[in-house]
């Protein structure tokens, strides 16, 4: 059966059969798609993707191949490689159509068949006995790239928020765009949020789940997105690629969101509270919470607490710690477990002897360790 399928493909090409019209086939035919990395960085890979448009020639037994696009940008080359490598083999009898494109990646050659539904298929010319189906997500990305007459530019920005949509389980990040390295060092991320909101530079991007898990609030990212967007406030766009530019900067109250997120990832439930008295250290007031394991019923009168301080610098953190020691040196009190994390300091007010492990100590230790590795 596989041999028959291969023969059908070759026969379709030799007899000049035309593929059915696909609504998303580009009306323009660029000869080359060469995109420059942000900040005019040179191309980092030698691999490229060459896409041939397959047209049948009248009265000829062979199809005419014309170069449709040549893609040399690393992130877009990776889109094709990943999509083709992860394509799923189709089983049983498959209805075949003439290939729309031939795609060459390095030394590998494929036929790309544009499907009538939301998925496209490929055939490896070195193993033409099997057809493989691309995932819907990869299909959308490749169709978008094929539709470009000119490349969509990379947008650099800072991640301001992230959420998973309950309706369709899609993953979105809110990005404040148009920043420079020098400006990012001068402004806090709160300033960036206000600036982006005023200038209408906030955009929600739908991204892949595996990329979503690696991105955190406050990280600079480079996004290349689809041309179309949903009109909302802020607008919503579908990302083709998303890359982390460099590690996060922690000079903002948004760092508090990141700490809260990681503690939640460790299955800790934080509930904000406003105590009558709080330790103000070197002028910095903390955020205070009750803390307990998620999905674990606990006596509300015996809940432990946590205070999170966000200082302007690590030096101020040390001054704040000295201030705490000075304020409490003559007081007989329950002392917290203290965790220092860049310019943040966490007080875990645990019950029990300081010489014994705290009930939730391992949760905090793991969260702090993971945050330091980011």
């Amino acid at each position: 059966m596989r041999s028959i399928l291969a023969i059908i493909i070759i026969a379709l090409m030799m007899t000049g059969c035309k593929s059915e019209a696909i609504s998303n086939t580009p009306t323009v035919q660029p000869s080359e798609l060469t995109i420059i990395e942000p900040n005019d960085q040179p191309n980092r890979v030698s691999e490229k993707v060459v896409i041939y448009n397959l047209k049948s020639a009248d009265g000829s037994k062979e199809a005419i191949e014309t170069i449709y696009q040549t893609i040399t940008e690393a992130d877009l080359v990776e889109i094709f490689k990943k999509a083709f490598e992860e394509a799923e083999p189709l089983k049983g009898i498959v209805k075949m159509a003439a290939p729309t494109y031939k795609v060459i990646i390095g030394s590998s050659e494929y036929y790309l068949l544009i499907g009538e539904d939301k998925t496209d298929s490929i055939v490896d010319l070195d193993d033409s006995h099997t057809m493989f189906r691309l995932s819907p997500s990869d299909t959308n990305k490749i169709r978008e790239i094929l539709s470009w007459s000119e490349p969509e530019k990379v947008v650099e920005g800072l991640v301001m928020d992230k959420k998973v949509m309950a309706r369709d389980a899609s993953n979105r990040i809110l990005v404040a765009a148009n920043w420079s390295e020098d400006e990012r060092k001068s402004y806090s991320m709160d300033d960036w949020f206000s600036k982006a909101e005023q200038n209408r530079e906030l955009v929600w991007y739908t991204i892949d789940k595996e990329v979503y898990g690696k991105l955190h609030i406050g990280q600079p990212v480079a996004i290349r997105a689809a041309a179309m967007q949903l009109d909302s406030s802020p607008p919503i766009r579908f990302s083709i690629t998303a890359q982390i530019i460099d590690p996060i900067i922690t000079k903002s109250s948004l760092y508090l969101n990141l700490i809260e997120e990681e503690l939640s990832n460790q299955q800790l439930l934080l509930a904000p509270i406003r105590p009558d008295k709080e330790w103000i250290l070197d002028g910095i007031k903390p955020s205070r919470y009750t803390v307990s394991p998620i999905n674990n019923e606990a006596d509300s009168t015996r809940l432990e607490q946590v205070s999170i301080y966000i200082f302007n610098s690590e030096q101020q953190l040390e001054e704040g710690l000295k201030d705490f020691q000075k304020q409490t040196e003559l007081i007989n009190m329950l002392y917290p477990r203290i965790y220092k994390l860049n310019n943040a300091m966490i007080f875990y007010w645990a019950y029990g002897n300081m010489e014994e492990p705290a009930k939730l100590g391992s949760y905090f230790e793991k969260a702090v360790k993971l945050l330091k590795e980011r």
Side-chain angles (χ1 to χ4, degrees):
M1 182 59 67
R2 292 179 177 176
S3 298
I4 294 174
L5 292 178
I7 292 171
I8 292 174
I9 292 178
I10 296 171
L12 287 171
M13 293 297 297
M14 295 293 289
T15 55
C17 292
K18 294 184 179 180
S19 61
E20 297 179 5
I22 303 301
S23 59
N24 74 308
T25 301
T27 56
V28 293
Q29 186 166 323
S31 61
E32 186 169 356
L33 181 59
T34 304
I35 306 164
I36 303 302
E37 187 78 10
N39 303 322
D40 294 328
Q41 294 177 5
N43 186 21
R44 296 191 301 268
V45 296
S46 58
E47 283 187 299
K48 62 181 179 180
V49 175
V50 181
I51 303 172
Y52 290 87
N53 199 0
L54 301 179
K55 292 184 178 180
S56 57
D58 294 337
S60 173
K61 294 184 178 180
E62 296 184 0
I64 298 174
E65 296 181 359
T66 57
I67 293 181
Y68 181 71
Q69 289 179 0
T70 300
I71 300 173
T72 60
E73 183 62 8
D75 59 342
L76 298 181
V77 170
E78 198 60 32
I79 289 290
F80 278 84
K81 288 176 62 178
K82 179 176 178 293
F84 286 19
E85 288 171 0
E86 296 180 356
E88 295 290 334
L90 296 177
K91 298 178 180 180
I93 299 175
V94 181
K95 181 181 179 181
M96 305 286 287
T100 313
Y101 303 100
K102 184 167 80 171
V103 180
I104 300 177
I105 307 175
S107 60
S108 300
E109 298 186 11
Y110 306 87
Y111 283 141
L112 174 60
L113 294 83
I114 303 299
E116 296 181 2
D117 54 10
K118 294 182 179 181
T119 57
D120 297 339
S121 303
I122 60 171
V123 175
D124 188 338
L125 296 188
D126 289 334
D127 180 18
S128 58
H129 297 279
T130 306
M131 179 180 285
F132 296 83
R133 176 160 291 174
L134 305 181
S135 71
S137 175
D138 289 333
T139 294
N140 289 338
K141 291 178 183 179
I142 288 177
R143 288 186 182 186
E144 175 67 22
I145 295 170
L146 290 172
S147 73
W148 288 346
S149 57
E150 292 184 359
E152 288 296 314
K153 294 181 179 179
V154 170
V155 173
E156 296 182 356
L158 298 174
V159 178
M160 293 294 171
D161 196 5
K162 52 185 294 191
K163 62 182 178 181
V164 178
M165 305 303 296
R167 182 180 69 255
D168 56 5
S170 62
N171 302 279
R172 292 182 186 172
I173 57 172
L174 182 64
V175 175
N178 295 334
W179 58 275
S180 71
E181 184 69 18
D182 290 338
E183 288 174 319
R184 185 166 65 83
K185 292 177 180 177
S186 303
Y187 295 137
S188 73
M189 278 185 270
D190 292 334
D191 294 333
W192 268 110
F193 191 93
S194 299
K195 173 180 176 291
E197 195 171 33
Q198 285 181 346
N199 297 338
R200 298 175 181 264
E201 294 172 344
L202 287 173
V203 178
W204 283 104
Y205 291 97
T206 300
I207 63 174
D208 292 338
K209 183 177 180 180
E210 58 269 25
V211 180
Y212 179 86
K214 298 176 182 178
L215 288 172
H216 302 283
I217 294 170
Q219 283 184 310
V221 293
I223 301 283
R224 198 191 302 274
M228 294 185 63
Q229 66 181 28
L230 298 179
D231 290 329
S232 61
S233 185
I236 303 169
R237 301 186 68 186
F238 174 75
S239 73
I240 305 301
T241 63
Q243 296 177 321
I244 299 172
I245 296 176
D246 57 17
I248 58 174
I249 299 298
T250 59
K251 294 183 178 179
S252 165
S253 62
L254 285 178
Y255 192 32
L256 176 65
N257 297 30
L258 179 59
I259 294 172
E260 291 175 335
E261 177 190 340
E262 188 55 56
L263 292 173
S264 177
N265 289 342
Q266 300 309 315
Q267 302 302 301
L268 290 177
L269 177 64
L270 300 182
I273 58 173
R274 292 186 177 180
D276 296 332
K277 186 179 184 305
E278 187 59 272
W279 300 102
I280 299 176
L281 307 181
D282 200 41
I284 301 298
K285 188 175 181 180
S287 298
R288 186 81 168 236
Y289 316 79
T290 59
V291 58
S292 60
I294 293 176
N295 299 325
N296 184 20
E297 293 187 7
D299 183 352
S300 60
T301 64
R302 293 287 295 170
L303 289 178
E304 296 179 324
Q305 297 184 15
V306 59
S307 301
I308 304 178
Y309 293 83
I310 307 294
F311 295 94
N312 295 322
S313 65
E314 294 185 40
Q315 182 179 356
Q316 189 189 24
L317 181 151
E318 296 300 332
E319 293 300 321
L321 186 55
K322 291 178 183 177
D323 190 8
F324 178 68
Q325 293 167 346
K326 183 177 180 180
Q327 291 185 51
T328 61
E329 61 183 353
L330 300 179
I331 301 176
N332 184 16
M333 58 174 285
L334 175 70
Y335 276 83
R337 271 71 169 178
I338 299 176
Y339 305 92
K340 293 190 291 184
L341 180 63
N342 298 314
N343 56 296
M345 185 159 60
I346 302 172
F347 283 5
Y348 167 33
W349 301 92
Y351 293 122
N353 192 322
M354 287 289 290
E355 304 300 323
E356 298 177 356
K359 180 174 65 174
L360 303 178
S362 60
Y363 296 82
F364 283 94
E365 290 167 6
K366 185 174 181 180
V368 169
K369 179 177 181 294
L370 291 173
L371 285 165
K372 285 182 177 179
E373 291 174 351
R374 291 179 181 175

